[in-house]
Amino acid sequence: MRILGIDPGTRTVGYGVIDFDGNSVRAIDYGVIEAKHIDGYAERFAYIHEELRRIILENRPEVAAIEEVFTSKALKRSIEIGEGRGVAILTSALAGLQVESYSVKTVKKSVVGNGNAAKSQVQKMTKILLALDSIPKPDDAADALAIAICHSHRCRVNPLIARLDRGAHGR
């Protein structure tokens, strides 16, 4: 199964594509969509949509795993991330992908074993689990890979989910 992990945002969107064979995971592609240079809000969303669409077409994932918005004291920031998340969900849905959501705590618990793990611990475990030479950079890309790994763990725990995912897309 090919999984696209997405760390949503409105200026920087992390993405990570992994293959999961039921036992192991392997990194296929990862990076960030940088939209900081685009001034208009709507134009940034259109750019993120187009770039995410290109990544989906190039990598042909079967499912998108997207991080949920966490509420913080910075309400405006949470709303912006939510708007960016909406673009990622819509783009994935329009591409015919199944979309799954995971909280930050769920991702951390899945990858590190502790829902309160530090970001650096998640990054180190992502490197180890994917047998990479170094921690994926930038941080948003590492986070997106961790989100994809989280979904693979869900499928490992519940093989029926993995079979249903593949059956829905004919793979």
Side-chain angles (χ1 to χ4, degrees):
M1 171 187 304
R2 187 157 286 184
I3 304 166
L4 169 63
I6 302 172
D7 183 24
T10 57
R11 297 180 185 279
T12 304
V13 176
Y15 68 90
V17 180
I18 66 169
D19 275 346
F20 170 62
D21 68 5
N23 295 311
S24 62
V25 290
R26 181 173 60 97
I28 301 300
D29 187 18
Y30 59 89
V32 293
I33 300 167
E34 290 284 359
K36 296 176 190 177
H37 63 284
I38 300 172
D39 290 330
Y41 208 57
E43 291 79 9
R44 259 196 322 265
F45 285 162
Y47 179 77
I48 290 168
H49 166 75
E50 285 302 317
E51 286 299 298
L52 194 52
R53 185 176 165 274
R54 179 188 59 75
I55 291 162
I56 290 169
L57 289 172
E58 285 177 7
N59 290 288
R60 301 180 45 83
E62 298 165 61
V63 62
I66 303 175
E67 188 172 85
E68 292 176 355
V69 177
F70 60 91
T71 53
S72 69
K73 294 178 184 172
L75 181 60
K76 184 176 187 240
R77 180 73 182 129
S78 293
I79 291 170
E80 286 177 356
I81 293 170
E83 291 171 338
R85 186 173 184 274
V87 172
I89 291 169
L90 179 62
T91 302
S92 299
L94 288 173
L97 302 182
Q98 174 184 335
V99 177
E100 299 291 340
S101 295
Y102 296 98
S103 70
V104 174
K105 281 189 174 277
T106 299
V107 173
K108 289 179 175 184
K109 185 168 177 68
S110 178
V111 175
V112 179
N114 176 357
N116 295 314
K119 190 176 199 79
S120 62
Q121 291 174 296
V122 175
Q123 292 170 340
K124 286 176 188 172
M125 282 304 297
T126 297
K127 173 189 174 275
I128 291 167
L129 292 169
L130 294 171
L132 299 172
D133 293 332
S134 60
I135 291 173
K137 296 287 182 189
D139 293 352
D140 300 295
D143 291 346
L145 286 168
I147 294 161
I149 291 168
C150 176
H151 183 71
S152 77
H153 287 174
R154 176 176 176 243
C155 292
R156 183 176 290 135
V157 169
N158 191 345
L160 177 60
I161 292 170
R163 283 195 305 274
L164 290 174
D165 287 347
R166 282 193 300 274
H169 299 284
R171 293 185 188 169

Coordinates of all heavy atoms in Angstrom, one line a residue, residues 26-108:
R26 N 8.8 1.8 3.7 CA 10.0 2.3 2.9 C 9.6 3.7 2.4 O 8.5 3.9 1.8 CB 10.3 1.4 1.8 CG 11.4 1.7 0.9 CD 11.8 0.6 -0.1 NE 10.7 0.3 -1.0 CZ 10.6 0.8 -2.2 NH1 11.5 1.7 -2.7 NH2 9.5 0.5 -3.0
A27 N 10.5 4.7 2.5 CA 10.3 6.0 2.0 C 10.4 6.0 0.5 O 11.3 5.4 -0.1 CB 11.3 7.0 2.6
I28 N 9.4 6.7 -0.1 CA 9.4 6.8 -1.6 C 9.8 8.2 -2.0 O 10.6 8.5 -2.9 CB 8.1 6.4 -2.2 CG1 7.7 5.0 -1.8 CG2 8.0 6.6 -3.7 CD1 8.7 3.9 -2.3
D29 N 9.2 9.2 -1.3 CA 9.3 10.6 -1.7 C 8.9 11.4 -0.5 O 8.0 11.1 0.3 CB 8.4 10.9 -2.9 CG 8.7 12.3 -3.4 OD1 9.7 13.0 -3.2 OD2 7.8 12.8 -4.2
Y30 N 9.6 12.5 -0.3 CA 9.2 13.5 0.8 C 9.8 14.8 0.5 O 10.8 15.0 -0.2 CB 9.6 12.9 2.2 CG 11.1 12.7 2.4 CD1 11.9 13.7 2.9 CD2 11.7 11.5 2.2 CE1 13.3 13.5 3.1 CE2 13.0 11.2 2.4 CZ 13.8 12.2 2.9 OH 15.1 12.0 3.1
G31 N 9.2 15.8 1.1 CA 9.7 17.2 1.0 C 8.6 18.1 1.5 O 7.8 17.8 2.3
V32 N 8.7 19.4 1.0 CA 7.7 20.4 1.4 C 7.3 21.2 0.2 O 8.0 21.3 -0.8 CB 8.3 21.4 2.4 CG1 8.6 20.7 3.8 CG2 9.5 22.1 1.9
I33 N 6.1 21.7 0.3 CA 5.5 22.6 -0.7 C 5.7 24.0 0.0 O 5.1 24.2 1.1 CB 4.0 22.3 -1.0 CG1 3.9 20.9 -1.6 CG2 3.4 23.4 -1.9 CD1 2.4 20.4 -1.6
E34 N 6.5 24.8 -0.6 CA 6.7 26.2 0.0 C 5.8 27.2 -0.7 O 6.0 27.4 -1.9 CB 8.2 26.5 -0.2 CG 9.1 25.8 0.7 CD 9.1 26.2 2.1 OE1 8.4 27.1 2.5 OE2 9.9 25.6 2.9
A35 N 4.9 27.8 0.0 CA 4.1 28.8 -0.6 C 4.3 30.2 0.1 O 3.5 31.1 -0.1 CB 2.6 28.4 -0.4
K36 N 5.3 30.3 0.9 CA 5.6 31.5 1.6 C 5.8 32.7 0.7 O 5.4 33.8 1.0 CB 6.9 31.4 2.4 CG 6.9 30.4 3.5 CD 8.2 30.3 4.2 CE 8.3 29.1 5.1 NZ 9.6 29.0 5.7
H37 N 6.3 32.5 -0.5 CA 6.6 33.5 -1.5 C 5.3 34.1 -2.2 O 5.4 35.1 -2.9 CB 7.6 33.0 -2.5 CG 7.0 31.9 -3.3 ND1 6.9 30.6 -2.8 CD2 6.5 31.9 -4.6 CE1 6.4 29.8 -3.8 NE2 6.2 30.6 -4.9
I38 N 4.2 33.5 -1.9 CA 3.0 33.9 -2.6 C 2.2 34.8 -1.6 O 1.8 34.4 -0.5 CB 2.1 32.7 -3.1 CG1 2.9 31.9 -4.0 CG2 0.8 33.2 -3.7 CD1 2.3 30.5 -4.4
D39 N 1.9 36.0 -2.1 CA 1.3 37.0 -1.2 C -0.2 36.7 -0.9 O -0.7 36.8 0.2 CB 1.4 38.4 -1.8 CG 2.9 38.9 -1.7 OD1 3.6 38.5 -0.8 OD2 3.3 39.7 -2.6
G40 N -1.0 36.5 -1.9 CA -2.4 36.4 -1.8 C -2.8 35.0 -1.1 O -2.3 34.0 -1.4
Y41 N -3.7 35.1 -0.2 CA -4.2 33.9 0.6 C -4.8 32.9 -0.4 O -4.4 31.7 -0.4 CB -5.2 34.4 1.6 CG -5.3 33.5 2.8 CD1 -4.2 33.3 3.6 CD2 -6.5 33.0 3.2 CE1 -4.3 32.5 4.8 CE2 -6.7 32.2 4.3 CZ -5.5 32.0 5.1 OH -5.6 31.2 6.3
A42 N -5.7 33.3 -1.2 CA -6.3 32.4 -2.2 C -5.3 31.8 -3.2 O -5.4 30.6 -3.5 CB -7.5 33.1 -2.9
E43 N -4.4 32.7 -3.6 CA -3.4 32.2 -4.5 C -2.5 31.2 -3.9 O -2.0 30.2 -4.6 CB -2.5 33.4 -5.0 CG -3.3 34.3 -6.0 CD -4.3 35.3 -5.2 OE1 -4.2 35.4 -4.0 OE2 -5.0 36.0 -5.9
R44 N -2.2 31.3 -2.6 CA -1.4 30.3 -1.9 C -2.1 29.0 -1.9 O -1.5 27.9 -2.1 CB -1.1 30.8 -0.4 CG 0.3 31.4 -0.3 CD 0.7 31.5 1.2 NE -0.3 31.9 2.1 CZ -0.5 33.1 2.6 NH1 0.2 34.1 2.1 NH2 -1.4 33.3 3.5
F45 N -3.4 29.0 -1.6 CA -4.2 27.8 -1.5 C -4.2 27.1 -2.9 O -4.1 25.9 -3.0 CB -5.6 28.1 -1.1 CG -5.7 28.3 0.4 CD1 -6.9 28.9 0.9 CD2 -4.8 27.9 1.3 CE1 -7.0 29.1 2.3 CE2 -4.9 28.1 2.7 CZ -6.0 28.7 3.2
A46 N -4.4 27.9 -4.0 CA -4.4 27.3 -5.3 C -3.0 26.7 -5.6 O -2.9 25.6 -6.2 CB -4.7 28.4 -6.3
Y47 N -1.9 27.4 -5.2 CA -0.6 26.8 -5.4 C -0.4 25.5 -4.7 O 0.1 24.5 -5.2 CB 0.5 27.8 -5.0 CG 1.9 27.3 -5.2 CD1 2.5 27.3 -6.4 CD2 2.6 26.9 -4.1 CE1 3.8 26.8 -6.6 CE2 3.9 26.4 -4.2 CZ 4.5 26.4 -5.5 OH 5.8 25.9 -5.6
I48 N -0.8 25.5 -3.4 CA -0.7 24.3 -2.6 C -1.5 23.1 -3.2 O -1.0 22.0 -3.3 CB -1.1 24.5 -1.1 CG1 -0.1 25.4 -0.4 CG2 -1.3 23.2 -0.4 CD1 -0.5 26.0 0.9
H49 N -2.7 23.5 -3.7 CA -3.6 22.5 -4.3 C -2.9 21.9 -5.5 O -2.8 20.7 -5.7 CB -4.9 23.1 -4.7 CG -5.7 22.3 -5.7 ND1 -6.4 21.1 -5.3 CD2 -5.9 22.4 -7.0 CE1 -6.9 20.6 -6.4 NE2 -6.7 21.3 -7.4
E50 N -2.3 22.7 -6.4 CA -1.7 22.3 -7.6 C -0.5 21.4 -7.3 O -0.2 20.4 -8.0 CB -1.3 23.4 -8.6 CG -2.6 24.0 -9.3 CD -3.3 23.0 -10.1 OE1 -2.6 22.2 -10.8 OE2 -4.5 23.0 -10.1
E51 N 0.4 21.8 -6.4 CA 1.6 21.1 -6.1 C 1.2 19.7 -5.4 O 1.8 18.7 -5.7 CB 2.5 21.9 -5.1 CG 3.2 23.0 -5.8 CD 4.1 22.5 -6.9 OE1 5.1 21.8 -6.7 OE2 3.8 22.9 -8.1
L52 N 0.2 19.7 -4.5 CA -0.2 18.5 -3.9 C -0.8 17.6 -5.0 O -0.5 16.3 -4.9 CB -1.2 18.8 -2.8 CG -1.5 17.7 -1.8 CD1 -0.2 17.1 -1.2 CD2 -2.4 18.2 -0.7
R53 N -1.5 18.1 -5.9 CA -2.1 17.3 -7.0 C -1.0 16.7 -7.8 O -1.0 15.5 -8.2 CB -3.0 18.2 -7.8 CG -3.7 17.5 -8.9 CD -4.6 18.5 -9.6 NE -5.1 18.0 -10.9 CZ -4.4 18.1 -12.1 NH1 -3.2 18.7 -12.1 NH2 -4.8 17.6 -13.2
R54 N 0.1 17.5 -8.1 CA 1.2 17.0 -8.9 C 1.9 15.8 -8.1 O 2.2 14.8 -8.7 CB 2.2 18.1 -9.1 CG 3.5 17.7 -9.9 CD 4.5 18.8 -9.9 NE 5.0 19.2 -8.6 CZ 5.8 18.6 -7.8 NH1 6.3 17.4 -8.2 NH2 6.2 19.1 -6.6
I55 N 2.1 16.0 -6.8 CA 2.7 14.9 -6.0 C 1.9 13.6 -6.0 O 2.4 12.5 -6.1 CB 2.9 15.5 -4.5 CG1 4.0 16.5 -4.6 CG2 3.3 14.3 -3.6 CD1 4.0 17.4 -3.3
I56 N 0.6 13.8 -5.9 CA -0.3 12.6 -5.9 C -0.2 11.9 -7.3 O -0.1 10.7 -7.4 CB -1.8 13.1 -5.6 CG1 -1.9 13.4 -4.1 CG2 -2.8 12.0 -6.0 CD1 -3.2 14.1 -3.8
L57 N -0.2 12.7 -8.4 CA -0.1 12.1 -9.7 C 1.2 11.4 -9.9 O 1.3 10.3 -10.6 CB -0.3 13.2 -10.8 CG -1.8 13.7 -10.9 CD1 -1.8 14.9 -11.9 CD2 -2.7 12.6 -11.4
E58 N 2.3 12.0 -9.4 CA 3.6 11.4 -9.6 C 3.8 10.1 -8.8 O 4.4 9.2 -9.2 CB 4.7 12.4 -9.2 CG 4.9 13.4 -10.2 CD 6.0 14.5 -9.8 OE1 6.6 14.3 -8.7 OE2 6.1 15.5 -10.5
N59 N 3.2 10.1 -7.6 CA 3.5 9.0 -6.6 C 2.4 8.0 -6.5 O 2.6 6.9 -6.0 CB 3.8 9.5 -5.2 CG 5.1 10.2 -5.2 OD1 6.2 9.6 -5.2 ND2 5.1 11.6 -5.1
R60 N 1.2 8.3 -7.0 CA 0.0 7.4 -7.0 C -0.3 6.7 -5.7 O -0.4 5.5 -5.6 CB 0.2 6.4 -8.1 CG 0.3 7.1 -9.5 CD 0.5 6.1 -10.7 NE -0.4 5.0 -10.7 CZ -1.7 5.0 -11.1 NH1 -2.2 6.2 -11.6 NH2 -2.4 4.0 -11.1
P61 N -0.4 7.5 -4.6 CA -0.8 6.8 -3.3 C -2.2 6.3 -3.3 O -3.0 6.8 -4.2 CB -0.6 8.0 -2.3 CG -0.9 9.2 -3.1 CD -0.4 8.9 -4.5
E62 N -2.5 5.4 -2.4 CA -3.9 4.9 -2.3 C -4.7 5.6 -1.2 O -5.9 5.6 -1.2 CB -3.8 3.4 -2.0 CG -3.1 2.6 -3.1 CD -2.7 1.2 -2.7 OE1 -3.6 0.5 -2.3 OE2 -1.5 0.9 -2.7
V63 N -3.9 6.2 -0.2 CA -4.6 6.8 0.9 C -3.8 8.0 1.3 O -2.6 8.0 1.2 CB -4.8 5.8 2.1 CG1 -3.4 5.3 2.5 CG2 -5.6 6.3 3.2
A64 N -4.5 9.0 1.8 CA -3.8 10.2 2.4 C -4.1 10.2 3.9 O -5.2 10.0 4.3 CB -4.3 11.5 1.8
A65 N -3.0 10.3 4.7 CA -3.1 10.5 6.1 C -2.7 11.9 6.5 O -1.6 12.3 6.1 CB -2.2 9.5 6.8
I66 N -3.6 12.6 7.1 CA -3.4 14.0 7.4 C -3.5 14.3 8.8 O -4.4 13.8 9.5 CB -4.5 14.9 6.6 CG1 -4.4 14.5 5.1 CG2 -4.3 16.4 6.8 CD1 -5.5 15.2 4.2
E67 N -2.6 15.2 9.3 CA -2.6 15.5 10.7 C -3.8 16.4 11.1 O -4.1 17.3 10.3 CB -1.3 16.2 11.1 CG -1.1 16.5 12.6 CD 0.3 17.0 12.9 OE1 0.5 18.2 12.8 OE2 1.2 16.2 13.2
E68 N -4.4 16.1 12.2 CA -5.5 17.0 12.6 C -5.0 18.3 13.2 O -3.8 18.4 13.6 CB -6.3 16.2 13.7 CG -7.0 15.0 13.3 CD -7.7 14.3 14.4 OE1 -7.6 14.6 15.6 OE2 -8.4 13.3 14.0
V69 N -5.8 19.3 13.2 CA -5.5 20.6 13.8 C -5.5 20.5 15.3 O -6.5 19.9 15.9 CB -6.4 21.7 13.3 CG1 -6.1 23.0 13.9 CG2 -6.4 21.8 11.8
F70 N -4.5 20.9 16.0 CA -4.6 21.0 17.4 C -4.9 22.4 17.8 O -4.5 23.4 17.1 CB -3.2 20.6 18.0 CG -2.1 21.5 17.6 CD1 -1.7 22.6 18.4 CD2 -1.3 21.2 16.5 CE1 -0.7 23.4 18.0 CE2 -0.3 22.0 16.1 CZ 0.1 23.1 16.9
T71 N -5.7 22.6 18.8 CA -6.1 23.9 19.2 C -5.0 24.4 20.2 O -4.5 23.7 21.1 CB -7.5 23.9 19.9 OG1 -7.5 22.9 21.0 CG2 -8.6 23.6 18.9
S72 N -4.7 25.6 20.0 CA -3.7 26.2 20.9 C -4.2 27.6 21.3 O -5.2 28.1 21.0 CB -2.4 26.4 20.1 OG -2.5 27.3 19.1
K73 N -3.3 28.3 22.1 CA -3.7 29.6 22.6 C -3.7 30.6 21.4 O -4.3 31.6 21.4 CB -2.7 30.1 23.6 CG -2.8 29.2 24.9 CD -1.7 29.7 25.9 CE -1.8 28.8 27.1 NZ -0.8 29.0 28.1
A74 N -2.9 30.2 20.3 CA -2.9 31.1 19.1 C -4.0 30.6 18.2 O -3.8 29.9 17.3 CB -1.5 30.9 18.5
L75 N -5.2 31.1 18.5 CA -6.4 30.7 17.8 C -6.3 31.0 16.3 O -6.7 30.1 15.4 CB -7.7 31.4 18.3 CG -9.0 31.0 17.7 CD1 -9.2 29.5 17.8 CD2 -10.1 31.8 18.3
K76 N -5.8 32.1 15.9 CA -5.6 32.5 14.5 C -4.7 31.5 13.8 O -5.0 31.1 12.7 CB -5.0 33.9 14.4 CG -4.9 34.4 12.9 CD -4.4 35.8 12.8 CE -4.5 36.2 11.4 NZ -3.3 36.6 10.9
R77 N -3.7 31.0 14.4 CA -2.8 30.0 13.8 C -3.5 28.7 13.6 O -3.4 28.1 12.6 CB -1.5 29.9 14.7 CG -0.5 28.9 14.2 CD 0.2 29.4 13.0 NE 1.1 28.4 12.5 CZ 1.2 28.0 11.2 NH1 0.4 28.5 10.3 NH2 2.0 27.1 10.9
S78 N -4.3 28.3 14.6 CA -5.0 27.1 14.5 C -6.0 27.1 13.3 O -6.2 26.2 12.6 CB -5.8 26.8 15.8 OG -4.9 26.5 16.8
I79 N -6.7 28.3 13.2 CA -7.6 28.4 12.1 C -6.9 28.4 10.7 O -7.4 27.7 9.8 CB -8.4 29.8 12.2 CG1 -9.4 29.7 13.4 CG2 -9.2 30.1 11.0 CD1 -10.0 31.0 13.9
E80 N -5.7 29.0 10.6 CA -5.0 29.0 9.4 C -4.6 27.5 9.0 O -4.7 27.1 7.9 CB -3.7 29.9 9.5 CG -4.1 31.3 9.4 CD -2.8 32.2 9.6 OE1 -1.7 31.6 9.8 OE2 -3.0 33.4 9.5
I81 N -4.1 26.8 10.0 CA -3.7 25.4 9.8 C -4.9 24.6 9.3 O -4.9 23.8 8.4 CB -3.0 24.8 11.0 CG1 -1.7 25.5 11.3 CG2 -2.8 23.3 10.8 CD1 -1.1 25.1 12.6
G82 N -6.1 24.9 10.0 CA -7.3 24.2 9.6 C -7.7 24.5 8.1 O -8.2 23.6 7.4
E83 N -7.5 25.7 7.7 CA -7.8 26.1 6.3 C -6.8 25.3 5.4 O -7.3 24.8 4.3 CB -7.7 27.6 6.1 CG -8.8 28.3 6.8 CD -8.6 29.8 6.8 OE1 -7.4 30.3 6.7 OE2 -9.6 30.6 7.0
G84 N -5.6 25.3 5.7 CA -4.6 24.5 4.9 C -4.9 23.0 4.9 O -4.8 22.4 3.9
R85 N -5.4 22.5 6.0 CA -5.8 21.1 6.1 C -7.0 20.9 5.2 O -7.1 19.8 4.5 CB -6.2 20.8 7.5 CG -6.5 19.4 7.8 CD -6.7 19.1 9.3 NE -6.9 17.7 9.5 CZ -8.1 17.1 9.5 NH1 -9.2 17.8 9.2 NH2 -8.2 15.8 9.7
G86 N -7.9 21.8 5.1 CA -9.1 21.7 4.2 C -8.6 21.6 2.7 O -9.2 20.8 2.0
V87 N -7.6 22.4 2.3 CA -7.1 22.3 1.0 C -6.5 20.9 0.7 O -6.8 20.2 -0.3 CB -6.0 23.3 0.7 CG1 -5.3 23.1 -0.6 CG2 -6.6 24.7 0.8
A88 N -5.8 20.3 1.7 CA -5.2 19.0 1.6 C -6.2 17.9 1.5 O -6.1 17.0 0.7 CB -4.2 18.7 2.8
I89 N -7.3 18.0 2.3 CA -8.4 17.1 2.3 C -9.1 17.1 0.9 O -9.3 16.1 0.3 CB -9.3 17.3 3.4 CG1 -8.7 16.9 4.8 CG2 -10.6 16.5 3.3 CD1 -9.5 17.4 6.0
L90 N -9.4 18.3 0.5 CA -10.1 18.5 -0.8 C -9.3 17.9 -1.9 O -9.8 17.2 -2.8 CB -10.5 19.9 -1.0 CG -11.2 20.2 -2.3 CD1 -12.5 19.5 -2.4 CD2 -11.4 21.7 -2.5
T91 N -8.0 18.3 -2.0 CA -7.1 17.8 -3.1 C -7.1 16.3 -3.1 O -7.2 15.7 -4.1 CB -5.7 18.4 -2.9 OG1 -5.9 19.9 -2.9 CG2 -4.8 18.0 -4.1
S92 N -6.9 15.7 -1.9 CA -6.8 14.2 -1.8 C -8.1 13.6 -2.2 O -8.1 12.6 -3.0 CB -6.5 13.8 -0.4 OG -5.2 14.4 0.0
A93 N -9.2 14.1 -1.8 CA -10.6 13.6 -2.1 C -10.8 13.7 -3.6 O -11.3 12.8 -4.2 CB -11.7 14.3 -1.3
L94 N -10.5 14.8 -4.2 CA -10.7 15.0 -5.7 C -9.8 14.0 -6.5 O -10.2 13.7 -7.6 CB -10.3 16.4 -6.1 CG -11.3 17.5 -5.6 CD1 -10.8 18.9 -6.0 CD2 -12.7 17.3 -6.3
A95 N -8.7 13.6 -5.9 CA -7.8 12.6 -6.6 C -8.3 11.2 -6.3 O -7.7 10.2 -6.8 CB -6.4 12.8 -6.1
G96 N -9.4 11.0 -5.6 CA -10.0 9.7 -5.3 C -9.3 9.0 -4.2 O -9.5 7.7 -4.1
L97 N -8.5 9.6 -3.4 CA -7.9 9.0 -2.2 C -8.8 8.9 -1.0 O -9.6 9.7 -0.8 CB -6.6 9.8 -1.8 CG -5.5 10.0 -2.8 CD1 -4.4 10.7 -2.2 CD2 -5.1 8.7 -3.5
Q98 N -8.6 7.8 -0.3 CA -9.3 7.7 1.0 C -8.5 8.6 1.9 O -7.3 8.7 1.8 CB -9.1 6.2 1.5 CG -9.6 6.0 2.9 CD -9.3 4.6 3.4 OE1 -9.2 3.7 2.6 NE2 -9.2 4.5 4.7
V99 N -9.2 9.3 2.8 CA -8.5 10.3 3.7 C -8.7 9.9 5.1 O -9.8 9.6 5.5 CB -9.0 11.7 3.4 CG1 -8.4 12.7 4.4 CG2 -8.8 12.2 2.0
E100 N -7.6 9.8 5.8 CA -7.6 9.5 7.3 C -7.0 10.6 8.0 O -6.1 11.3 7.5 CB -6.9 8.2 7.5 CG -7.4 6.9 6.8 CD -8.8 6.5 7.4 OE1 -9.1 6.9 8.5 OE2 -9.5 5.8 6.6
S101 N -7.4 10.8 9.3 CA -6.9 11.9 10.1 C -6.3 11.3 11.4 O -6.9 10.4 12.0 CB -8.0 12.9 10.4 OG -8.5 13.5 9.3
Y102 N -5.2 11.9 11.8 CA -4.6 11.5 13.1 C -4.2 12.7 13.9 O -3.6 13.7 13.3 CB -3.4 10.6 12.8 CG -3.7 9.4 12.1 CD1 -3.6 9.2 10.7 CD2 -4.2 8.3 12.8 CE1 -4.0 8.1 10.0 CE2 -4.6 7.1 12.1 CZ -4.5 7.0 10.8 OH -4.8 5.9 10.1
S103 N -4.4 12.6 15.2 CA -4.0 13.7 16.1 C -2.5 13.7 16.3 O -1.8 12.6 16.0 CB -4.7 13.6 17.4 OG -4.2 12.5 18.1
V104 N -1.9 14.8 16.7 CA -0.5 14.8 17.0 C -0.1 13.8 18.0 O 0.9 13.1 17.8 CB -0.1 16.2 17.4 CG1 1.4 16.3 17.9 CG2 -0.3 17.3 16.4
K105 N -0.9 13.6 19.0 CA -0.6 12.6 20.1 C -0.6 11.2 19.5 O 0.2 10.4 19.9 CB -1.6 12.8 21.3 CG -1.2 13.9 22.2 CD -2.1 13.8 23.4 CE -1.7 14.9 24.4 NZ -0.6 14.4 25.3
T106 N -1.6 10.9 18.7 CA -1.7 9.6 18.1 C -0.5 9.3 17.2 O 0.1 8.2 17.3 CB -3.0 9.5 17.2 OG1 -4.1 9.7 18.1 CG2 -3.1 8.1 16.6
V107 N 0.0 10.3 16.4 CA 1.2 10.1 15.6 C 2.4 9.8 16.5 O 3.2 8.9 16.3 CB 1.4 11.3 14.7 CG1 2.8 11.2 13.9 CG2 0.3 11.5 13.7
K108 N 2.6 10.6 17.5 CA 3.7 10.5 18.4 C 3.7 9.1 19.1 O 4.7 8.4 19.2 CB 3.7 11.6 19.5 CG 4.1 12.9 18.9 CD 4.1 14.0 20.0 CE 4.6 15.3 19.5 NZ 4.6 16.3 20.5

